[in-house]
Amino acid sequence: MDQRPDLSNEERDILHDVGFEDLSERAATAVLVDGTVRLAQSNDPGVEVMPLAEALRTYDFVQDLMFGLVEPDANEDIALIAEQRDGPLGHFVWVKPGAQVTLPVQTFTLLETPQGRQFTHDIMVIDEGASVDMISGSAVPSSVHKGRHVSIGECYMRKGASCNSVTIEHWGDGMDVVSYGYAQMDEGARSQSTAIKMAPVANDLSRSKVTMGANTNAVSQAIIFAAPGTERVIETETHLNGTGAKSEDLARMVSAGGTIINNAYLIGNMAGTNGFLGCDGLKLTDDGAIRAVPALEAKAEGAMLSHEASVGMIDSDKLNYLMAAGIEEDAARDLIVQGFLSLENTTIPAGLRRRVIEMIARAKSGGM
């Protein structure tokens, strides 16, 4: 696809907070603004990126991928996306067979219209033996407080494919956001992902389903913050369908007065599979709530499944220790929150990690 009119400096600044970097520092870039794919450009011959509508016209096989992992009438939200009169709105990313992509691929969604309605559908294919790092983000300018965004993402990881991904969301504090993510991992595929949900939002519903084949490995981490007035519901479903499949699903949740509900479901459908669910919550005030519901279902003898869940307040001993060392109380609390979220032990790039730490401080102060 030819590059369409470039992003404005203001748009670049908005997207910078959710991971955007100059196009020269990325293998490929796709940016969707309101109802248009504004930018789709690749600097690597191993990566193809284009609007989904264009991909459907260009490649016959994309028709079979679209709604290949979810029925188009699965629910009212998904039906709205499937029935768009002007055709699908979203990105198509294809990492070609055997490609070893050295620079990250970045994709972003920007909603600039106050009270706007945005319905998107993204498809990604990481082909056989390919390897890639992905950085994705969603954002609004400070002028957009309310609106609705509904998205579907379908990801196909072919045999032996590998992907490390980071996703950051920064919506408006009065928005309704619904996202559906579906992934199919073929034999030997490897995935490591981090999802960061920090900024205030009125209602956020996130549902994901991953189907894992033989000898696959998936490690996923969610870093979730709920400011006052924010309600987040996160529902994950992982199916271990092949011998040797191994998954680890971790959620670290902090409530500063908002509500977080985390429902995690792990199903072992085959002997020789191994899965773990970890749900840890930290309450900073008496307001709001955290509910963690890990669920295990072993359908085959020899499926090894386990979970851990905990919710608590800031440890007063740790807080007193830091304050005794001369650290102000607010700063000490921030350090404890950062430690709880294990930001230094994640795969988040260093530059993005600094931004996430800044987002924590702004979210707590209501400055986002």
Side-chain angles (χ1 to χ4, degrees), residues 90 158 227 287:
R158 301 310 190 192
D287 297 324

Side-chain angles (χ1 to χ4, degrees), residues 221-225 250-254 260 278-282 339-342:
Q221 175 179 225
I223 298 173
I224 305 160
F225 190 94
L250 308 173
R252 296 187 178 275
M253 306 165 286
V254 177
I260 303 172
C279 308
D280 293 323
L282 181 65
F340 171 80
L341 295 176
S342 298

Side-chain angles (χ1 to χ4, degrees), residues 22-42:
D22 188 84
L23 276 61
S24 64
E25 299 179 24
R26 296 292 185 249
T29 299
V31 180
L32 189 157
V33 181
D34 285 342
T36 304
V37 176
R38 176 82 65 79
L39 186 63
Q41 175 178 309
S42 176

Side-chain angles (χ1 to χ4, degrees), residues 115-128:
Q115 287 284 9
R117 299 294 185 267
Q118 194 175 49
F119 303 92
T120 67
H121 192 161
D122 298 330
I123 295 178
M124 181 167 65
V125 179
I126 307 173
D127 226 317
E128 185 169 343

Side-chain angles (χ1 to χ4, degrees), residues 153-167:
E154 295 183 275
C155 177
Y156 296 85
M157 297 188 67
R158 301 310 190 192
K159 184 177 180 179
S162 176
C163 180
N164 294 329
S165 65
V166 178
T167 301

Side-chain angles (χ1 to χ4, degrees), residues 220 222 224 234 236 248-254 260-265 276-282 290-296 306-312 340:
S220 62
I224 305 160
I234 298 95
T236 63
E248 184 177 355
D249 187 345
L250 308 173
R252 296 187 178 275
M253 306 165 286
V254 177
I260 303 172
I261 299 171
N262 182 56
N263 298 319
Y265 186 27
F276 174 76
L277 298 176
C279 308
D280 293 323
L282 181 65
I290 296 177
R291 186 172 74 194
V293 187
L296 309 176
S306 61
H307 71 76
E308 292 181 2
S310 66
V311 178
F340 171 80

Side-chain angles (χ1 to χ4, degrees), residues 4 9-10 33 37 62 64 76 80 109 118 138 142 171 200 224 240 250 267-269 294 306 310 312 350 362:
R4 300 188 181 188
N9 289 334
E10 180 183 3
V33 181
V37 176
V62 178
D64 298 323
E76 291 183 4
L80 281 173
T109 298
Q118 194 175 49
S138 304
S142 59
W171 297 111
I224 305 160
L240 306 177
L250 308 173
I267 306 98
N269 289 315
S306 61
S310 66
R362 295 204 305 271

